[in-house]
Amino acid sequence: MTTGPRRIALSVDDQTRQPLKPRTLAAQALGAGDPTTKGLVPPIHMTTTYLRDADNGYSAGYVYGRTDNVSVQQAEAVIAALEQAEEAMMFASGMAAATAVFMALDKPTHIIASRVMYWGFRLWLEDISRFGHSITFVETSDLDAVRDAVRPGETGLFWIETPSNPLWTITDIAAISEIAHGAGALLCVDSTVSTPVLTRPIIHGADIVVHSATKYLNGHSDVVAGALAVARASDFWIRIRKVRTQIGASLGPFDAWLLLRGMRTLELRVREQCRTAASLAGRLSDHPALTCVLYPGLKTHPGHDVAMRQMDGGFGGMLSIRMKGGKAAAIAAAARVALWKRATSFGGVESLIEHRASIEGEGTPCPDDLLRLSAGLEDPDDLFFDLIRALGGR
Ligand SMILES: *Cc1c(COP(=O)(O)O)cnc(C)c1O
């Protein structure tokens, strides 16, 4: 069964034969349109089934919606181009994308994962033994700790998140890829926070890139989606595709279409969100109500040097602040904002503030005096003064 046309309509400048920049590819959705009407914007392919030919074949290559959908493939092609991946696969959520990787493991495997990472997925990984696998959580910014955690012949998968939720710890992708490949293991990088605008993990040696497309890729807080992008479409990749079809973790066409639209402005949004986050981090760093500001763009951040190497042109739109007054002060400050929205998730046009420990619950490595901030696209001064009022002024 074919998975449809992967042909990328738009990839090189016809005059210079130079590869086009990611921003250009995304802005024009790789040239996707409506070939029937010559509509500039592609239609949403809502069909769940496709007509079989009289000779019993499927000449167009499409059979059934759970496996084949043009709108989904168009979003996949853009993500593959942005990540410089051989292929990408969309999923119904970031969690569906991440778990599909583990479902595709064909033998009991030892996994090494970042200690600090997206809490929902860490919870799922903590129970991975029910699938016959074992896991070691380590501080992946500490390369010696990672080397010590390797079990020769058993370790088959490394899972890192950088910058990692919600402390924005930086893991050196190239260094981990050397350790992983030296052990004969695969490296998966959850790059949701960095986005392909700032980091393309495959260039640094990652085998699979993971995204919650719910966040920056879509960018408008109106789609739940996930994506994987792969350096080489190996047998393992084919098994992941089979998992997606069999468990039905596919993305719906309307969501894929919204995502395709959202990604047209990805680069502009992320660059602006980086600028705003960096400006807030700098302006808040000596605030008397705070014990620290966590942002990889600050020279004081322990991962700053690695971030300089592997993040291109910005340090992300996410930062966290820790309140001198502890948990109660953090919750009270979040209660006083007017412009910032108290909500979980991130990466949308509206700035969000969250008392992170409250949602992560018992056993979280997240300090309870921490507020997580997602910089949106509002005016940075408006955001700053709203925060300053909430923190209790000066
Ligand atoms: C949100 C998130 C996920 C989970 O994605 P969903 O789309 O919510 O399923 C995974 N990783 C990171 C880093 C996230 O922020």
Side-chain angles (χ1 to χ4, degrees):
M1 186 190 299
T2 159
T3 48
R6 291 258 165 55
R7 198 176 64 84
I8 291 175
L10 189 70
S11 61
V12 289
D13 182 317
D14 284 337
Q15 262 86 51
T16 63
R17 309 307 299 163
Q18 291 293 310
L20 293 165
K21 301 282 194 299
R23 173 170 158 179
T24 307
L25 300 174
Q28 298 202 357
L30 289 171
D34 180 2
T36 310
T37 62
K38 301 201 175 173
L40 184 63
V41 174
I44 311 173
H45 292 260
M46 292 303 286
T47 192
T48 58
T49 192
Y50 303 86
L51 295 174
R52 195 187 267 281
D53 304 324
D55 68 2
N56 214 35
Y58 278 106
S59 54
Y62 292 82
V63 176
Y64 183 58
R66 176 151 41 77
T67 311
D68 304 319
N69 182 275
V70 173
S71 298
V72 172
Q73 289 168 348
Q74 285 168 340
E76 287 172 341
V78 170
I79 291 173
L82 290 172
E83 289 290 0
Q84 301 191 5
E86 189 174 335
E87 285 185 16
M89 227 188 286
M90 297 303 318
F91 287 82
S93 68
M95 285 295 285
T99 53
V101 171
F102 294 83
M103 302 284 182
L105 292 170
D106 62 351
K107 59 172 192 285
T109 301
H110 175 242
I111 297 141
I112 293 178
S114 297
R115 188 182 68 87
V116 177
M117 66 153 89
Y118 172 65
W119 128 99
F121 193 56
R122 196 192 66 231
L123 278 185
W124 188 82
L125 282 177
E126 279 170 5
D127 278 339
I128 195 78
S129 62
R130 69 196 185 283
F131 297 108
H133 306 306
S134 56
I135 188 153
T136 308
F137 290 99
V138 291
E139 192 52 71
T140 48
S141 56
D142 178 350
L143 298 176
D144 287 332
V146 175
R147 279 186 206 99
D148 287 348
V150 174
R151 295 187 203 157
E154 280 180 58
T155 305
L157 190 68
F158 284 63
W159 188 277
I160 62 175
E161 182 178 312
T162 181
S164 75
N165 264 285
L167 306 178
W168 320 118
T169 325
I170 301 294
T171 294
D172 186 334
I173 301 170
I176 299 287
S177 118
E178 233 172 79
I179 299 172
H181 295 154
L186 289 174
L187 172 60
C188 299
V189 179
D190 186 332
S191 195
T192 298
V193 174
S194 205
T195 82
V197 175
L198 306 176
T199 307
R200 285 179 300 283
I202 288 172
I203 294 174
H204 300 279
D207 299 292
I208 295 180
V209 184
V210 188
H211 283 286
S212 168
T214 313
K215 316 292 168 49
Y216 289 103
L217 291 183
N218 180 60
H220 294 75
S221 306
D222 52 11
V223 169
V224 172
L228 299 177
V230 74
R232 282 164 306 281
S234 58
D235 289 348
F236 186 58
W237 182 249
I238 292 164
R239 287 209 300 280
I240 296 175
R241 188 177 293 287
K242 199 165 145 193
V243 166
R244 183 182 69 167
T245 294
Q246 291 180 333
I247 68 174
S250 353
L251 186 66
F254 183 50
D255 287 342
W257 186 89
L258 281 172
L259 175 63
L260 193 71
R261 184 172 72 165
M263 288 191 295
R264 290 174 186 267
T265 54
L266 174 68
E267 176 144 343
L268 296 183
R269 285 186 282 105
V270 169
R271 296 244 177 260
E272 194 58 30
Q273 285 162 317
C274 286
R275 257 195 294 279
T276 297
S279 136
L280 289 171
R283 291 162 91 180
L284 290 170
S285 57
D286 60 352
H287 193 283
L290 304 179
T291 53
C292 73
V293 175
L294 299 167
Y295 186 64
L298 294 175
K299 287 197 181 61
T300 50
H301 188 283
H304 181 69
D305 290 344
V306 177
M308 286 282 285
R309 282 206 302 278
Q310 78 186 17
M311 300 179 83
D312 181 14
F315 298 94
M318 299 301 299
L319 66 154
S320 294
I321 53 179
R322 294 185 63 180
M323 301 285 300
K324 233 175 229 168
K327 178 180 177 181
I331 292 173
R336 285 192 292 263
V337 291
L339 217 46
W340 292 77
K341 304 299 172 212
R342 277 181 302 279
T344 195
S345 196
F346 60 87
V349 298
E350 286 169 299
S351 293
L352 303 183
I353 186 167
E354 183 180 33
H355 180 251
R356 194 64 199 160
S358 289
I359 197 152
E360 296 199 3
E362 201 120 326
T364 169
C366 176
D368 66 2
D369 57 7
L370 180 145
L371 291 171
R372 185 178 85 171
L373 305 177
S374 169
L377 291 179
E378 304 91 337
D379 183 274
D381 281 342
D382 289 344
L383 291 173
F384 176 68
F385 291 118
D386 189 43
L387 262 185
I388 287 295
R389 268 192 305 272
L391 293 175
R394 313 194 173 219

